[in-house]
Amino acid sequence: MDKAFITTGRVLLALYFLLPGIMKFVAWDMHIALMEKHQMMLIPVLLAAAGIVQIGAALFILANRYTAICALVLAGMVLLININLHDFWNFTGMEGAHEQQNFVKNLAIFAGLLLLAGHSWKGSFNRNN
């Protein structure tokens, strides 16, 4: 049962990044506008890099390869996105509440990625335990 829960969680976390990674290219202009709204710099470069990292890491996690490293890369990316795109402290009203909700949700995803990395790292190096 342990393995089924871990596999399900791993696959769902991977899909959470794969689909938005693809959408960064499908809905390019929408993502550019969102990043401009948050006054980010180097937007096209960062958007392309984010999409490539999300897609690549998600595919590796789906294949259960380099899972710990990919989970840690995505965890770092979640923190950067949280600070730059879900900066609820810069908004008021419904918009601020929405950004705060996304910020907290992303912290839970960050926690899930840390759990996956920790479990995968242990599994990678302690096969005899």
Side-chain angles (χ1 to χ4, degrees), residues 4-91:
F5 287 146
I6 291 166
T7 299
T8 301
R10 179 177 54 78
V11 168
L12 290 174
L13 274 170
L15 290 175
Y16 179 83
F17 289 96
L18 179 62
L19 300 176
I22 293 168
M23 290 308 297
K24 282 179 175 50
F25 297 103
V26 172
W28 182 264
D29 291 338
M30 180 189 78
H31 286 89
I32 292 285
L34 172 66
M35 293 171 82
E36 286 173 344
K37 180 180 178 183
H38 291 271
Q39 301 171 345
M40 293 187 68
M41 298 172 60
L42 301 169
I43 293 172
V45 172
L46 290 175
L47 182 56
I52 291 166
V53 168
Q54 285 182 316
I55 292 167
L59 290 173
F60 276 118
I61 290 171
L62 280 171
N64 205 19
R65 299 287 180 247
Y66 309 105
T67 303
I69 293 166
C70 289
L72 290 173
V73 167
L74 290 173
M77 190 173 168
V78 166
L79 287 180
L80 290 173
I81 288 170
N82 245 11
I83 292 166
N84 289 293
L85 292 178
H86 299 303
D87 51 341
F88 63 90
W89 51 89
N90 289 325
F91 297 92

